[in-house]
Amino acid sequence: KGSWQVLKYKKIKANKVQFSPEGMKIKVNASASPVIYPLSQPMIVASLQVKGVLNGGVKIPKGKDQGEKATDDYVLRVGLVIEGQQRLNFFQRKIAPKWVTTLFALAPKGKGVDYIYFLNAAQSKKHLNRERKHPLSDLMLEKNQWVLKASDPTHSFDLSAELKKPMKVLAVWISVDGDDTNSKFELDLESLRLR
């Protein structure tokens, strides 16, 4: 497990996360929870690569698009926590959800957070390269970087991405979710590299 931290959302069933020498296994059963890795010091990141195995996937109902209000689930979101100037004041710290206070706690003393930049694995080519500010929070920006189709029984993947410009990163934020769509699947992360 090392420095990985498994968080929980207040009103959402948490994923089951297991660590082993082979990597991280995330079991989703109508659940969602983030896993974060704070870097020992801020790092300028230009690209990333992630390898693993997917078993199953998000079940998007017919007539719906992935990423909508009731279908905002993805088999993989790799988030980079970007350093910035935003900080929480005393009042905000008292009322903010735990994931928000955890996010801001990742910033070094005297620094703040700008946002989490998520690179998503969508399940359809028609959603590829779609970018948005997440409707639930200004702290999340997303880009559908890859296509990773639901698979049965398993599908190995090796995904990489070059960022438009290098970013100063404080932590990696892995989000794997199936709570909106009541989906059940497993994701094994075998390797995650930042360059």
Side-chain angles (χ1 to χ4, degrees):
K1 183 178 178 181
S3 297
W4 286 100
Q5 300 175 21
V6 180
L7 305 182
K8 293 181 180 179
Y9 296 120
K10 194 171 184 179
K11 297 180 180 179
I12 300 174
K13 179 181 171 185
N15 297 333
K16 290 185 178 176
V17 182
Q18 299 170 318
F19 296 90
S20 72
E22 289 74 41
M24 179 194 317
K25 180 185 287 290
I26 301 174
K27 294 181 179 181
V28 176
N29 186 1
S31 56
S33 52
V35 186
I36 62 171
Y37 188 90
L39 301 176
S40 57
Q41 60 185 21
M43 172 192 268
I44 304 295
V45 175
S47 65
L48 63 86
Q49 180 187 39
V50 60
K51 295 180 183 180
V53 177
L54 175 64
N55 186 350
V58 174
K59 293 179 181 170
I60 306 296
K62 283 188 177 179
K64 297 281 186 179
D65 272 338
Q66 190 172 26
E68 293 179 352
K69 189 172 183 181
T71 56
D72 194 23
D73 289 338
Y74 289 83
V75 293
L76 178 63
R77 287 175 162 119
V78 180
L80 302 175
V81 179
I82 309 301
E83 184 180 281
Q85 300 303 315
Q86 292 188 74
R87 299 184 203 176
L88 297 179
N89 62 34
F90 176 80
F91 179 71
Q92 289 170 320
R93 282 195 299 274
K94 290 293 182 189
I95 64 167
K98 176 92 169 111
W99 75 267
V100 173
T101 57
T102 300
L103 171 64
F104 280 89
L106 297 171
K109 195 169 185 176
K111 300 286 185 181
V113 169
D114 199 354
Y115 55 89
I116 312 173
Y117 182 59
F118 282 105
L119 299 172
N120 299 344
Q123 290 191 174
S124 170
K125 284 185 180 178
K126 71 179 181 178
H127 297 133
L128 197 58
N129 296 316
R130 186 178 72 180
E131 294 183 278
R132 68 173 180 171
K133 184 179 287 187
H134 199 281
L136 295 181
S137 175
D138 289 345
L139 295 171
M140 298 187 295
L141 299 180
E142 296 183 315
K143 179 183 180 186
N144 288 343
Q145 179 71 38
W146 310 291
V147 173
L148 195 53
K149 293 183 180 178
S151 64
D152 190 20
T154 59
H155 171 70
S156 296
F157 59 85
D158 183 348
L159 309 171
S160 59
E162 294 279 339
L163 303 180
K164 288 179 184 174
K165 62 179 182 179
M167 297 177 167
K168 197 167 191 179
V169 175
L170 304 174
V172 177
W173 190 291
I174 303 293
S175 185
V176 177
D177 51 345
D179 57 311
D180 282 352
T181 57
N182 291 313
S183 296
K184 185 175 182 179
F185 61 92
E186 289 184 11
L187 184 81
D188 294 336
L189 286 181
E190 299 169 348
S191 171
L192 173 63
R193 296 178 183 271
L194 305 179
R195 183 176 66 78

